[in-house]
């Protein structure tokens, strides 16, 4: 079995200099992009006092925790403690890191040390991400798409579509990709309808 | 099961001035429903098993679910001539009551959480200060704490180096003493009285005893509320929600010696409500 690659967002929703929360196999992560564009995914917990690193701020090639400003480099190591500016932080102060790569406009997270690569969806381009309370089964039924390894795949009147799903106990995030020749506006509207019907099923 | 040591402590349960006749105010203490009301006997607090021990002090009502192990801690400044006593209301925070107290003891966050008010970059250094667990009073104390502040208080103009002293006289209460901008040689006194609703939910009641006759009451309260709302954005986003008492889960530095002493004191006294004992 390969690495459990999980899509945590679309590339264009995470510009340089921004950090965001993400879920990976029930773990809460902070995913951030440095000024030069490098992506990192870490446990969403500052080793100092447990503050969520996804609330931190990106400065150049570093992420600083919002609570006491501890600064971490892209390797995850703490490189500066503002309360003790002259101290060189011990190497043991390090955020827990995961693999984070981009493929086809989608950001994927995998276990540290994974050797395989995330799935590719040749011929598809990112459409948008939607969060919903509906689960994968409800979305499959509402969309009429085929269940595939990484989500739901098939064609609609507006063209081909692929819905990559990442789920937690309470919500599902859909990363929608559109076939290159699809009608993006119509497909986006179709997606809204799928989500609405799936949510109605949840409530019913 | 809640440890007996926890049940035998005093906890704030409301502002004395707000307690009215029955049915009164329904709230919670250590996960149990309680009711505060005023009758001919004075302020009473009732729980599932009847009346609780009650003390009224520092503008607030304090209750004990067990048998009080000692009298409520003293704040001598509360009766000092010339001080203005300010009840600041309440801020509800989804966090461990112990995390709320620990945050109050922390100065290293000022430049990042209370930016341009209680601290500002590049003035981030926390110089060495002194910390003790005082055996006579059984309190945690930090003294000789110095920090540069752009606007230390509502009455402060411009940046100054403020000196602080902190004390933890009860598991969920802390009192700080800070340089008084209006009167050299005196200390402003600010307390937070934290009501443990559950292990992961608390009501924070800030209280002040200040030498400040000028600032309107509403402005004093608003200043303190603003500071606590900034703290809340942190406190509701720490993982885990419970305060880890065993070393290893979090990494303190020299700036955190007050928090280290507070955790050690809680652990030694078995005051583990709101704490996590085993590294997860
Ligand atoms: S919790 Fe992150 S720097 Fe203190
Ligand atoms: Fe604060």
């Amino acid at each position: 079995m390969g690495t459990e690659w999980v899509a945590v967002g679309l590339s264009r929703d995470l510009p340089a200099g921004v950090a965001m929360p993400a879920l990976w196999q029930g773990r809460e992560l902070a995913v951030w992009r440095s000024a030069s564009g490098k992506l990192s995914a870490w446990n969403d917990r500052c080793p100092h006092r447990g503050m969520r690193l996804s609330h931190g701020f990106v400065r150049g090639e570093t992420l600083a925790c919002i609570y006491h400003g501890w600064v971490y480099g892209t390797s995850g190591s703490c490189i500066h403690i503002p309360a003790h500016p002259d101290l060189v932080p011990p190497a043991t102060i390090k955020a827990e890191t995961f693999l984070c790569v981009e493929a086809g406009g989608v950001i994927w997270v995998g276990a540290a040390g994974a050797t395989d690569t995330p799935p590719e969806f040749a011929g598809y381009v990112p459409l948008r991400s939607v969060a919903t309370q509906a689960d994968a089964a409800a979305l499959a039924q509402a969309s009429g798409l085929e269940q595939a390894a990484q989500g739901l795949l098939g064609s609609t009147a507006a063209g081909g579509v692929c819905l990559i799903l990442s789920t937690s106990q309470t919500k599902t995030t859909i990363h929608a990709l559109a076939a290159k020749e699809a009608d993006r506006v119509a497909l986006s509207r179709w997606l809204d309808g799928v989500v609405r019907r799936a949510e109605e099923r949840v409530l019913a | 099961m809640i440890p007996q040591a926890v049940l035998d402590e005093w906890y704030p349960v409301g502002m004395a001035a707000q307690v009215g006749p029955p049915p009164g105010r329904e709230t919670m203490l250590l996960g149990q429903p309680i009711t505060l009301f005023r009758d001919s006997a004075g302020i009473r607090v009732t729980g599932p098993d009847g009346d609780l021990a009650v003390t009224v002090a520092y503008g607030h009502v304090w209750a004990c679910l067990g048998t009080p192990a000692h009298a409520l801690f003293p704040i001598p400044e509360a009766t000092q001539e010339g001080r203005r006593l300010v009840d600041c209301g309440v801020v509800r925070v989804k966090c461990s009551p112990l995390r709320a107290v620990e945050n109050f003891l922390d100065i290293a966050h000022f430049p990042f959480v209370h930016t341009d008010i209680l601290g500002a970059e590049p003035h981030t250094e926390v110089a060495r200060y002194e910390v003790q667990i005082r055996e006579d009073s059984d309190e945690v104390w930090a003294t000789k704490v110095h920090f540069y502040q752009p606007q230390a208080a509502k009455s402060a103009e411009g940046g100054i180096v403020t000196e602080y002293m902190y004390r933890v006289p009860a598991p969920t209460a802390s009192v700080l003493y800070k340089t008084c901008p209006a009167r050299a040689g005196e200390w402003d006194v600010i307390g937070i009285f934290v009501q443990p609703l559950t292990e992961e939910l608390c009501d924070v009641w800030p209280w002040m005893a200040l030498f400040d006759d000028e600032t309107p009451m509403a402005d004093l309260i608003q200043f303190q509320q603003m500071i606590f709302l900034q703290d809340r954005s942190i406190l509701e986003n720490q993982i885990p929600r419970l305060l880890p008492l065993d070393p290893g889960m979090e990494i303190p530095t020299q700036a955190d010696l007050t928090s280290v002493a507070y955790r050690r004191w809680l652990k030694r006294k078995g005051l583990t409500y709101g704490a996590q004992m085993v590294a997860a």
Side-chain angles (χ1 to χ4, degrees):
Chain A
M1 209 185 93
T3 310
E4 295 284 345
W5 289 100
V6 174
V8 297
L10 299 179
S11 299
R12 60 137 187 260
D13 292 332
L14 186 65
V18 172
M20 68 171 196
L23 280 169
W24 182 80
Q25 304 204 348
R27 304 280 308 269
E28 295 183 273
L29 306 186
V31 178
W32 63 281
R33 193 191 296 276
S34 74
S36 74
K38 188 176 182 325
L39 275 174
S40 304
W42 298 347
N43 186 0
D44 198 6
R45 213 188 134 259
C46 178
H48 177 219
R49 285 292 182 243
M51 180 62 195
R52 285 184 192 277
L53 287 168
S54 57
H55 289 233
F57 48 97
V58 179
R59 276 183 189 165
E61 300 306 295
T62 66
L63 179 69
C65 175
I66 193 79
Y67 196 1
H68 308 94
W70 288 21
V71 180
Y72 298 87
T74 51
S75 69
S77 293
C78 179
I79 55 175
H80 181 64
I81 296 178
H84 308 297
D86 301 328
L87 179 89
V88 177
T92 45
I93 307 183
K94 190 173 184 296
E96 187 188 355
T97 60
F98 296 78
L99 277 192
C100 190
V101 297
E102 268 170 304
V106 180
I107 300 171
W108 297 90
V109 169
T115 49
D116 58 346
T117 54
E120 279 183 56
F121 299 90
Y124 289 88
V125 289
L127 184 66
R128 66 188 171 101
S129 298
V130 190
T132 171
Q133 310 288 337
D135 63 9
L139 288 164
Q141 176 142 58
S143 66
L145 299 177
E146 294 285 320
Q147 198 89 42
Q150 290 290 339
L152 305 167
L153 207 58
S155 56
T156 72
V161 67
C162 169
L163 306 182
I164 309 169
L165 306 181
S166 37
T167 48
S168 70
Q169 293 98 324
T170 53
K171 77 172 203 210
T172 305
T173 306
I174 307 165
H175 306 290
L177 310 182
K180 279 199 176 105
E181 65 284 356
D183 177 342
R184 295 174 63 84
V185 174
L187 206 49
S188 191
R189 212 175 294 131
W190 170 86
L191 180 60
D192 288 334
V194 167
V195 170
R196 195 177 55 243
R197 286 195 301 280
E199 285 176 352
E200 278 162 7
R201 276 174 46 92
V202 172
L203 294 175
Chain B
M1 260 282 284
I2 299 175
Q4 195 61 39
V6 171
L7 295 171
D8 291 347
E9 292 287 337
W10 291 104
Y11 301 96
V13 292
M15 242 155 73
Q18 289 177 343
V19 181
R25 190 173 96 90
E26 287 182 16
T27 176
M28 290 229 286
L29 179 58
L30 305 174
Q32 309 215 27
I34 58 166
T35 306
L36 280 70
F37 59 90
R38 194 184 286 273
D39 67 9
S40 55
I43 291 178
R44 287 173 56 192
V45 181
T46 56
D49 302 323
D51 274 60
L52 310 187
V54 171
T55 292
V56 179
Y58 325 129
H60 291 75
V61 181
W62 301 75
C64 172
L65 277 168
T67 310
H70 44 74
L72 182 66
F73 60 89
I75 306 181
E77 294 78 10
T79 51
Q80 193 182 353
E81 184 119 6
R83 283 188 188 269
R84 232 166 122 196
L85 307 182
V86 187
D87 301 334
C88 298
V90 67
V91 181
R92 176 157 296 185
V93 190
K94 281 196 227 78
C95 75
S96 155
L98 308 179
R99 285 235 191 241
V101 171
E102 184 174 89
N103 172 71
F104 186 76
L105 303 173
D106 178 76
I107 49 172
H109 74 280
F110 289 172
F112 302 97
V113 180
H114 310 298
T115 311
D116 296 334
I117 305 168
L118 300 184
E121 291 182 271
H123 307 279
T124 56
E125 182 160 15
V126 177
R128 186 175 275 283
Y129 54 86
E130 291 179 11
V131 179
Q132 308 131 0
I133 298 177
R134 294 193 179 164
E135 304 296 338
D136 53 344
S137 56
D138 196 18
E139 296 184 0
V140 179
W141 274 80
T143 55
K144 301 185 185 156
V145 184
H146 293 92
F147 207 67
Y148 173 87
Q149 299 195 312
Q151 193 200 347
K154 193 70 205 169
S155 60
E157 262 174 55
I160 46 169
V161 173
T162 304
E163 182 173 351
Y164 281 87
M165 296 191 290
Y166 288 90
R167 57 185 277 229
V168 183
T172 68
S174 180
V175 181
L176 70 76
Y177 300 80
K178 66 188 287 191
T179 314
C180 171
R183 203 184 284 203
E186 288 287 359
W187 301 90
D188 275 340
V189 179
I190 302 176
I192 55 159
F193 308 144
V194 181
Q195 176 179 354
L197 299 164
T198 71
E199 288 198 276
E200 301 190 0
L201 184 69
C202 56
D203 275 345
V204 178
W205 305 89
W207 171 88
M208 306 190 282
L210 310 177
F211 289 110
D212 178 347
D213 298 326
E214 259 124 69
T215 313
M217 190 68 108
D219 291 6
L220 288 173
I221 293 173
Q222 206 245 325
F223 182 79
Q224 226 28 249
Q225 287 263 351
M226 172 189 70
I227 297 292
F228 275 91
L229 290 177
Q230 291 173 336
D231 285 317
R232 184 169 73 178
S233 69
I234 298 295
L235 288 166
E236 297 194 336
N237 287 290
Q238 278 173 281
I239 302 172
R241 261 188 220 282
L242 297 176
L243 183 77
L245 285 193
D246 284 324
M249 177 99 189
E250 297 184 347
I251 304 174
T253 71
Q254 186 191 288
D256 302 311
L257 288 179
T258 319
S259 121
V260 171
Y262 175 53
R263 292 184 185 199
R264 192 176 300 148
W265 180 79
L266 290 171
K267 193 171 173 183
R268 187 169 90 183
K269 291 166 66 70
L271 300 171
T272 52
Y273 191 83
Q276 174 177 292
M277 295 303 290
V278 185

